[in-house]
Amino acid sequence: MAESKEQAELLQQFIDESHRIVFFGGAGVSTESGIPDFRSVDGLYHQDWKYPPEQILSGDFFVANPTEFYRFYRAKLLVDGIKPNAAHKKLAELEAKGKLSAVITQNIDGLHQAAGSKNVLEVHGSTLRNHCTRCGTFYDADYLRSHFGRRGVPLCEKEGCGAIIKPDVVLYGESLDDDVVRRSIEALQEADMLIIGGTSLTVYPAAGVINAFHGGHLVLINRDATESDGIADLVIHDSIGKVLDKVKV
């Protein structure tokens, strides 16, 4: 269902009235840049691999079978050449104008920062940051793309180390970063408007942080209906990029 004129006008009214907007986004924000999500019909969970993707992307699997982990990770998550879309750009514009105070994202692609957003809280980490599991030396995403180490596993080049490098991504079975969660909750508690976009709010514990919001307007923008539609003051079933692109700042 496309966004109606009335919905667009009400969204604009809410934004005009608000001064500390928080955006909470999921995979649907990045799919419009060409990054596949995990749960759609064409998503990663519906593609054939030797192991289920949710098993490959677990902390235990990373330790037990890093070769297969990195084969999947490079093919499906370490995307290259992807650009921010209209949603990323509009959120950065809202922040630059002093209307939006934080972006809380479940995505790991760094596209919000690429669009110019400054206060981005990545609850599931980022593929752009990687560290040696022994000495903590930092490595960027390009290093993981070009260094295959032993059996496809990137290894630390620091003299005397040689340990496995791990992406700063929260894998299944791992805990969210306490500081990111704390800052997300604080931003939501101080917000006067919350826009939830491109997520079905089914991934916990990340989705649970929105319970900290008690501000004025709650807007939910997602292509498909969600079980959380009933909590919102305004629900728009349409493209997040298309909807936000119309917003006047």
Side-chain angles (χ1 to χ4, degrees):
M1 181 186 300
E3 177 191 33
S4 69
K5 179 182 178 182
E6 292 75 16
Q7 288 175 324
E9 290 176 347
L10 187 55
L11 175 61
Q12 185 69 58
Q13 177 188 328
F14 285 173
I15 289 175
D16 290 343
E17 294 172 351
S18 304
H19 303 283
R20 292 191 64 81
I21 302 169
V22 168
F23 178 81
F24 181 93
V29 180
S30 292
T31 55
E32 295 181 26
S33 288
I35 298 176
D37 71 10
F38 279 59
R39 292 170 178 79
S40 68
V41 173
D42 299 318
L44 300 184
Y45 281 1
H46 295 268
Q47 300 175 10
D48 293 331
W49 286 79
K50 186 176 180 180
Y51 303 91
E54 61 267 34
Q55 181 180 352
I56 298 175
L57 295 176
S58 69
D60 289 343
F61 192 91
F62 173 81
V63 173
N65 195 341
T67 296
E68 188 68 11
F69 171 89
Y70 269 110
R71 188 174 77 86
F72 181 91
Y73 184 80
R74 288 191 180 96
K76 295 301 179 181
L77 296 187
L78 202 58
V79 293
D80 194 16
I82 302 296
K83 304 297 183 182
N85 60 53
H88 298 106
K89 294 174 183 177
K90 184 63 67 172
L91 291 167
E93 185 180 355
L94 284 165
E95 182 187 42
K97 294 293 185 179
K99 298 285 286 184
L100 184 140
S101 58
V103 168
I104 304 170
T105 180
Q106 299 177 91
N107 298 329
I108 58 177
D109 47 51
L111 288 178
H112 285 291
Q113 292 93 328
S117 290
K118 305 299 182 186
N119 189 24
V120 182
L121 301 168
E122 298 167 309
V123 292
H124 290 151
S126 173
T127 60
L128 306 185
R129 301 185 302 268
N130 310 274
H131 289 89
C132 172
T133 53
R134 179 182 296 154
C135 71
T137 298
F138 171 86
Y139 292 91
D140 62 18
D142 287 338
Y143 184 89
L144 265 62
R145 292 189 185 98
S146 58
H147 289 73
F148 289 78
R150 183 176 62 249
R151 298 180 61 195
V153 180
L155 303 176
C156 181
E157 292 187 335
K158 190 172 181 179
E159 186 175 354
C161 187
I164 295 175
I165 297 168
K166 181 179 183 297
D168 283 2
V169 172
V170 179
L171 302 176
Y172 287 100
E174 295 180 337
S175 299
L176 302 184
D177 182 274
D178 288 339
D179 183 61
V180 174
V181 172
R182 176 187 59 78
R183 292 165 58 202
S184 298
I185 290 173
E186 288 177 353
L188 286 162
Q189 289 173 333
E190 297 171 357
D192 55 9
M193 179 177 181
L194 171 60
I195 302 174
I196 299 172
T199 175
S200 57
L201 292 175
T202 57
V203 179
Y204 285 84
V209 302
I210 67 165
N211 294 326
F213 174 72
H214 300 289
H217 304 304
L218 198 163
V219 177
L220 202 159
I221 307 168
N222 197 53
R223 286 185 181 274
D224 303 315
T226 77
E227 294 182 0
S228 299
D229 284 3
I231 70 173
D233 302 307
L234 173 63
V235 176
I236 302 174
H237 293 149
D238 206 339
S239 155
I240 181 69
K242 176 183 169 185
V243 171
L244 290 185
D245 193 40
K246 296 177 185 176
V247 170
K248 295 180 176 62
V249 180

